[in-house]
Amino acid sequence: MLHEFWRNRESVLRNPRGTPETLKQLDNQRSKALTQITQWVKIASLSTQDISTVVRTLRVAFDSVRDAIEEHEDNQNDLFAKDTNADPLIGELEQILDGRVGPPLPQEELPHLIEEGKRRVEAEIAPGFKDVKAKGVDGAVGDFLVWEQVLRQAKLTGRDVLLVTAENKPDWWRMVRGELRSPHPDLIKELRTRAGVDIYMLQPQRLLDHAMAALKVSVHEGSSESVARVGSSVAGQEDLSTGGWSAETLTELLSRLDQEYRVQAAAIRKAGKQGGRISRDEVYELVPHQATLAL
């Protein structure tokens, strides 16, 4: 797990939100949209003025979204990638994890364990085999190595295991009609065989919910929402860069709003340029302006 963290941390810092790729896709969608519009206006036989208005509206919409994305790019991440001592996340994790992390797997055992992990992945033995498509066999072995550490720690302590994970694939869970019901039966059986204990699994958001209810722990509302959003993103596309949105879906949304709800479209663009927030007064300021345009 530690190796996987360090392998991914630098790439996240270099490209924390997938901004370059998002902008590239946005530009591609812009070109496709302009081509489509150009073909349509020829068939529709619009006047030169109408054509200019349509094209300008499209370009302004894409430019507004592009500007909003670029405003949120954090240039400090390059510094953190070059010097991990300057990375604030590493500093916070160090304090949290100090003295609370188990020993690594013995180096002399790793070659054998990696081969065993590959065998299990190819035989579709939980966990990890569902990662093959996204990570390849070598990447999918990582889940097995984490699981092997869980098995060893459980046997050492003789205690039941509570595993908190954002994973939601059927190589970790027993699923019924798409719902996560319990740990995968193979995991339950293997843990009982190897360590004689039981396993319980929670997703991060559920852990926070239980902490608030059972432990009377104060959890900031934004923390729960952030965990849910990240978990949803991981579950949906194994990628934290877009939060489930693509350039295509965003363009489609703004296009429809421009046609039917111009005030809402203008409000979204303004909020995007202001860090995702817009006051009620600012929305009201847009109403007469949009009404004038409609006339």
Side-chain angles (χ1 to χ4, degrees):
M1 184 179 293
L2 181 63
H3 290 296
E4 187 169 359
F5 172 83
W6 282 114
R7 184 171 64 248
N8 293 329
R9 181 58 182 162
E10 183 172 347
S11 63
V12 169
L13 287 171
R14 297 286 187 188
N15 187 10
R17 300 179 182 90
T19 302
E21 181 60 27
T22 298
L23 291 175
K24 180 181 178 181
Q25 291 186 21
L26 192 62
D27 288 340
N28 289 337
Q29 293 300 324
R30 172 178 174 163
S31 297
K32 291 179 181 179
L34 287 171
T35 299
Q36 188 67 36
I37 288 294
T38 301
Q39 292 175 351
W40 175 78
V41 296
K42 289 179 179 178
I43 297 174
S45 301
L46 297 185
S47 67
T48 302
Q49 182 177 354
D50 287 340
I51 294 173
S52 178
T53 299
V54 171
V55 172
R56 183 171 62 252
T57 300
L58 184 63
R59 284 177 172 164
V60 168
F62 272 96
D63 287 344
S64 297
V65 175
R66 206 179 201 287
D67 290 344
I69 293 173
E70 289 179 330
E71 277 188 23
H72 291 286
E73 183 70 348
D74 188 351
N75 294 326
Q76 281 190 309
N77 285 289
D78 267 345
L79 169 63
F80 301 154
K82 295 174 183 176
D83 181 7
T84 55
N85 291 317
D87 186 347
L89 176 63
I90 300 299
E92 292 179 14
L93 283 176
E94 186 176 10
Q95 296 180 38
I96 295 172
L97 300 178
D98 186 29
R100 299 181 178 89
V101 178
L105 293 169
Q107 285 294 321
E108 63 274 14
E109 294 185 38
L110 277 180
H112 166 71
L113 289 172
I114 290 172
E115 289 304 313
E116 172 63 10
K118 291 180 179 179
R119 182 193 70 79
R120 289 173 61 119
V121 166
E122 292 171 355
E124 295 193 351
I125 300 174
F129 62 85
K130 284 294 183 180
D131 281 344
V132 172
K133 184 177 180 180
K135 301 180 180 178
V137 174
D138 290 342
V141 168
D143 280 14
F144 162 70
L145 296 178
V146 170
W147 176 238
E148 178 66 24
Q149 287 183 296
V150 170
L151 292 170
R152 296 186 181 201
Q153 186 67 18
K155 184 175 182 179
L156 180 65
T157 62
R159 296 178 180 177
D160 291 342
V161 172
L162 171 61
L163 184 62
V164 181
T165 175
E167 288 280 6
N168 77 338
K169 295 189 290 296
D171 57 343
W172 280 98
W173 296 87
R174 179 177 71 88
M175 305 181 73
V176 179
R177 289 188 288 274
E179 294 184 1
L180 311 182
R181 291 296 180 87
S182 66
H184 192 289
D186 288 352
L187 303 183
I188 297 174
K189 181 179 179 181
E190 188 170 15
L191 187 62
R192 285 177 178 170
T193 301
R194 289 271 299 268
V197 298
D198 290 320
I199 181 172
Y200 305 90
M201 283 171 51
L202 288 175
Q203 292 191 299
Q205 186 182 12
R206 294 292 295 156
L207 175 66
L208 294 183
D209 293 341
H210 284 299
M212 288 187 287
L215 304 178
K216 309 301 180 185
V217 175
S218 177
V219 178
H220 191 279
E221 183 178 353
S223 299
S224 182
E225 292 175 356
S226 295
V227 168
R229 184 169 60 251
V230 171
S232 175
S233 179
V234 171
Q237 55 190 8
E238 298 296 326
D239 181 5
L240 305 182
S241 63
T242 66
W245 283 90
S246 67
E248 184 175 2
T249 55
L250 183 58
T251 301
E252 175 67 18
L253 171 64
L254 289 173
S255 176
R256 292 187 180 184
L257 289 177
D258 280 331
Q259 294 175 20
E260 302 177 17
Y261 303 98
R262 295 184 179 182
V263 174
Q264 288 86 336
I268 290 174
R269 292 191 179 96
K270 189 174 183 65
K273 292 183 176 181
Q274 299 177 167
R277 297 179 180 274
I278 183 171
S279 69
R280 179 178 299 185
D281 290 341
E282 287 176 314
V283 173
Y284 284 142
E285 288 176 4
L286 295 171
V287 175
H289 175 61
Q290 292 296 327
T292 300
L293 287 180
L295 295 175

